[in-house]
Amino acid sequence: MASGAKSFLADAGYGEQELDANSALMELDKGLRSGKLGEQCEAVVRFPRLFQKYPFPILINSAFLKLADVFRVGNNFLRLCVLKVTQQSEKHLEKILNVDEFVKRVFSVIHSNDPVARAITLRMLGSMASIIPERKNAHHSIRQSLDSHDNVEVEAAIFAAANFSAQSKDFAGGICNKISEMIQGLATPVDLKLKLIPILQHMHHDASLASSSRQLLQQLVTSYPSTKMVIVTLHTFTLLAASSLVDIPKQIQLLLQYLKNDPRKAVKRLAIQDLKLLANKTPHTWSRENIQALCECALQTPYDSLKLGMLSVLATLSGTIAIKQYFSIAPGTTATTARSFDLVKLAQECCYHNNRGIAAHGVRVLTNISASCQEKDLLVLEQDAVFGLESLLVLCSQDSSPGAQATLKIALTCMVKLAKCRPHLSQSVVESLLTQLHSAQDASRILMCHCLAAIAMQLPVLGDGMLGDLMDLYKVIGRSATDKQQELLVSLATVIFVASQKALSSEVKNVIKQQLENVSNGWTAYRIARQASRMGNHDMARELYQSLLTQVASEHFYFWLNSLKEFSHAEQCLTGLQEEDYSSALSCIAESLKSYHKGIASLTAASTPLNPLNFQCGFVKLRIDLLQAFSQLICTCNSLKTSPPPAIATTIAMTSGNDLQRCGRISTQMKLSMEEFRNLATRYGDLYQSSFDADSATLRNVELQQQSCLLISHAVEALILDPESASFQEYTLSGAAHVESEYERRMMSVFNHVLEEVESLNRKYAPVSYLHTACLCNAVIALLKVPLSFQRYFFQKLQSTSIKLALSPSPRNPAEPIAVQNNQQLALKVEGVVQHGSKPGLFRKIQSVCLNVSSTLQSKSGQDYKIPIDSMTNEMEQRVEPHNDYFSTQFLLNLVILGTHNITVESSVKDLNGIVWKTGPKTTIFVKSLEDPYSQQVRLQQQQGQPPSQQQQQQQRTAYSRF
């Protein structure tokens, strides 16, 4: 469990004492002022870490000004260190507030007599191009340095020219002619020309500039036919076309021409590499003729390496819209069978090639054709794809080399895709996988298990057939405790959980436990328990968590495992529910709630300040409240029998005009129950919105819980409270074809069944009969009988995103309010930094940050007269787009009323799909609104009963009397 321990150690706050921002900067400044070169260099190279930790402009500005001073007065080695720091911290450059001062200090070195110092300065200017794109003195220096006789300085000028061309349209337009003269000039050495040509890829700011650059490159490609020159020119040509977009079809034709006609392998390789780039970026621009030409080249080439490259391009294209264009029949031509196309011939020929990579791409092309061209009769192609996949599987599963494993991954991905698009092929695919599983290497077995699990998730009907083979294999593996064997134990257990679908048989549980006792370590057992919780096998999970309790080193781990054990036990209690048996259902729910309450206490003890387990606690609290609401609903339904309506109920119903009153107290209880379920649905929605970093399966799980609450509230309304206006149109649940997991499949089937039952009873046996209450109770039991799935985000956070806010003005002491006069507006500046974990943007990315500022009056000072509500509160919202993970904006707040105001700034984020997520944080400051001196003076005079003019005359008299 060592790998998981790292975060808990960090959470517990072990480690060195952290310095605040100012102290850290002072520490580094001390190093910069040191007389020893080594200490100065050490201080310089520690700056990127400081920027990462305190990424706000006030510190970054001070730090960069200090570095600019070091650059100005230091030696070349120190300048080089500062240059590297600037390049590493490129995304923080725009936070420099005094850009002019920073540039002035750096730029002073350009006038040095030392060409190396000038070269470093040019590279420094190039690295800063994003913040000074239009500085004419920098443009002039670069242009001058291109004519230098020192090679180091010229190379630095080329670097700076490339960076400025990318940022500045003016500079690109001005330098283009200069560069074309240098490239065409006879005096320029060839190696320098090779470095100058790539600058032309940035000449895409307008159409005329791009066109003139293309003409120049066209001339170069014909005038300089040497290998190096052609390679650099063609690649620059491709990058320019990819940026300017309009010339991509021409570029594809040019590259195909070189691929077909140029005899040099290096040029052919580059053409393939660039075609791959264009296939990924703009597959829709590939015409049928382009793909046909590429197929012809691939069929003719005798070289395996080139064939592999061309097939890689075709495999990329076959997964996109381009494949439909290729197979579409042009008007006026006769229809041809799929087999007669060159692409299909090529793929079939390559499927059994002795080179693994070529075979893999051939199979990938066939799979993509089978998946995307479903309207065609492709029976033969499908068979070819399956046979090709089986032969690849046999070839690669015996080989544990990295190349074979990479090929195997491609083959297995194709198998999953084929099984999904063509379900009739899945049986043969699964059989071949199970056959190979016994003889394969451990590394291959793990990948094959993942593939089997993915197929069984999509097609649960295949699960039972797998179980026997999987159990046989589980008994014989695990002879040694190597990492691969441990991984294999987890992968196989996962497939077994997926394949067994319903509850695990005792035989299966015993085999798994026996193997875990023999060879596994605690971490493997925990991972298997986690998968069991995810698949709803809670009895197995509970036993494993119980066995791990005594094997952990920290109390946080102990409480975490204990809470998981209690949750598994709670869910296990619900498996004994039976339809129509409502009293045992109530006792099962009560038993489950008892375990859940123990578990939530343990979970709260497992949380730490740095790892507060917010999602886990929120999810479990909602589950507890949902179970209590279900229990209450069953009791309410039973109350129709236990406390029938009083004799006067009919009279009350007639006088009130509400027929439901005839049933007595059940009517008010049902109303309360419906409101409770709606409230729970809203809370599930809030949990969903606050889980920005969750994976899609976890979010779908939360959504299903929310839908179950809405379903029950709708059933209560449709059956009892308002049967006349109940509509079933909006509740028809579509999307059953796209279910991702067994849990979702079972929940959807329960939803559909409950809706059918409710619809059949709607508007019958009014107002309430035992059939209605039985239908509601059965709906609750049906929902609870589906074992809850604890998804990945409950255990593991793969993406981590947080926002850090800084407000100015800010008080020295958080408890002290900021003073502001009531006749002035408070300018509140809000700055923020988006912080990411190791995998930023894995599930979703931030498009913009929504900042909501509200102020409320905490305590009044002064006269106690009535204040209009509008002036007591301020409510504003702004949306800002972060750039390089930094954003800033300002709000003007009007605090007219004297007293202490509480100002709250709350942030939420909007992702690329336009969905708003309530990520937080919430920051609060206190502002004290003071009376301005003039108003105060007038008020005091009024209190003294003296008119203001007399008071002023008196003051003047005393002033004159002094002289």
Side-chain angles (χ1 to χ4, degrees), residues 7-13 554-557 603-614:
S7 63
F8 270 90
L9 288 174
D11 299 345
S554 93
E555 62 177 17
H556 291 301
F557 282 144
L603 186 65
T604 311
S607 62
T608 63
L610 290 173
N611 188 22
L613 304 176
N614 290 332

Side-chain angles (χ1 to χ4, degrees), residues 936-954:
Q936 194 177 14
Q937 186 184 357
V938 170
R939 184 171 53 77
L940 286 170
Q941 288 168 5
Q942 285 171 349
Q943 282 173 358
Q944 289 165 6
Q946 197 177 12
S949 56
Q950 287 179 14
Q951 180 81 7
Q952 281 169 359
Q953 284 169 11
Q954 203 172 350

Side-chain angles (χ1 to χ4, degrees), residues 44-98:
V44 169
V45 298
R46 280 168 59 195
F47 271 90
R49 173 87 183 100
L50 181 75
F51 298 155
Q52 202 178 341
K53 208 164 183 188
Y54 308 105
F56 286 103
I58 193 156
L59 178 129
I60 283 168
N61 185 58
S62 306
F64 268 114
L65 289 175
K66 288 180 192 301
L67 287 173
D69 271 335
V70 171
F71 190 89
R72 184 166 54 89
V73 298
N75 59 25
N76 283 347
F77 183 66
L78 272 174
R79 286 180 185 136
L80 194 62
C81 291
V82 173
L83 169 64
K84 293 293 176 195
V85 167
T86 308
Q87 288 175 341
Q88 277 178 39
S89 312
E90 199 175 347
K91 72 175 197 175
H92 298 299
L93 287 174
E94 64 185 38
K95 296 174 198 167
I96 300 174
L97 306 172
N98 301 16

Side-chain angles (χ1 to χ4, degrees), residues 223-249:
S223 315
Y224 297 91
S226 69
T227 306
K228 279 185 181 176
M229 207 71 174
V230 167
I231 285 174
V232 171
T233 310
L234 273 181
H235 188 54
T236 306
F237 226 146
T238 304
L239 294 174
L240 178 63
S243 300
S244 57
L245 300 175
V246 286
D247 297 307
I248 289 177

Side-chain angles (χ1 to χ4, degrees), residues 637-666:
C637 290
N638 286 345
S639 73
L640 192 62
K641 297 175 188 172
T642 55
S643 60
I648 199 172
T650 311
T651 316
I652 295 171
M654 287 174 74
T655 52
S656 67
N658 183 357
D659 201 27
L660 193 59
Q661 294 289 341
R662 278 196 298 159
C663 306
R665 62 195 285 269
I666 192 172

Side-chain angles (χ1 to χ4, degrees), residues 234 254-256 258-259 266-276 313:
L234 273 181
L254 179 69
L255 290 168
L256 285 168
Y258 269 91
L259 181 62
V267 174
K268 284 181 189 283
R269 270 198 294 270
L270 177 101
I272 290 167
Q273 180 190 317
D274 283 359
L275 285 168
K276 181 83 181 276
V313 178

Side-chain angles (χ1 to χ4, degrees), residues 44-255:
V44 169
V45 298
R46 280 168 59 195
F47 271 90
R49 173 87 183 100
L50 181 75
F51 298 155
Q52 202 178 341
K53 208 164 183 188
Y54 308 105
F56 286 103
I58 193 156
L59 178 129
I60 283 168
N61 185 58
S62 306
F64 268 114
L65 289 175
K66 288 180 192 301
L67 287 173
D69 271 335
V70 171
F71 190 89
R72 184 166 54 89
V73 298
N75 59 25
N76 283 347
F77 183 66
L78 272 174
R79 286 180 185 136
L80 194 62
C81 291
V82 173
L83 169 64
K84 293 293 176 195
V85 167
T86 308
Q87 288 175 341
Q88 277 178 39
S89 312
E90 199 175 347
K91 72 175 197 175
H92 298 299
L93 287 174
E94 64 185 38
K95 296 174 198 167
I96 300 174
L97 306 172
N98 301 16
V99 176
D100 290 346
E101 186 57 35
F102 178 61
V103 174
K104 193 168 96 179
R105 293 178 193 184
V106 169
F107 195 75
S108 60
V109 186
I110 202 81
H111 306 299
S112 164
N113 288 331
D114 177 6
V116 175
R118 293 200 300 271
I120 295 172
T121 310
L122 285 166
R123 285 186 183 272
M124 188 78 174
L125 291 170
S127 304
M128 291 153 44
S130 59
I131 56 168
I132 52 162
E134 305 301 340
R135 290 286 165 121
K136 298 301 177 215
N137 52 358
H139 294 183
H140 177 68
S141 299
I142 294 166
R143 204 186 288 264
Q144 251 186 337
S145 297
L146 283 170
D147 295 327
S148 169
H149 296 292
D150 186 88
N151 277 346
V152 176
E153 190 176 351
V154 174
E155 282 179 22
I158 291 169
F159 169 82
N163 282 16
F164 272 92
S165 299
Q167 300 288 341
S168 165
K169 181 182 173 181
D170 286 355
F171 181 78
I175 203 80
C176 189
N177 291 337
K178 168 89 176 160
I179 285 169
S180 74
E181 281 170 22
M182 286 180 75
I183 291 170
Q184 290 172 315
L186 298 174
T188 314
V190 174
D191 62 330
L192 201 57
K193 287 182 182 180
L194 291 173
K195 287 171 184 163
L196 282 164
I197 290 168
I199 298 177
L200 296 171
Q201 72 188 0
H202 302 298
M203 306 294 166
H204 52 73
H205 298 283
D206 59 34
S208 61
L209 190 61
S211 172
S212 61
S213 301
R214 276 191 73 80
Q215 283 173 4
L216 172 60
L217 287 165
Q218 190 71 59
Q219 285 171 19
L220 289 174
V221 106
T222 46
S223 315
Y224 297 91
S226 69
T227 306
K228 279 185 181 176
M229 207 71 174
V230 167
I231 285 174
V232 171
T233 310
L234 273 181
H235 188 54
T236 306
F237 226 146
T238 304
L239 294 174
L240 178 63
S243 300
S244 57
L245 300 175
V246 286
D247 297 307
I248 289 177
K250 282 187 202 167
Q251 184 60 22
I252 292 171
Q253 285 173 353
L254 179 69
L255 290 168

Side-chain angles (χ1 to χ4, degrees), residues 37 97 105 159 177 369 512 523-524 633 650 757 762 952:
L37 183 61
L97 306 172
R105 293 178 193 184
F159 169 82
N177 291 337
I369 293 171
I512 292 176
W523 181 240
T524 304
L633 181 60
T650 311
E757 291 287 312
N762 186 34
Q952 281 169 359

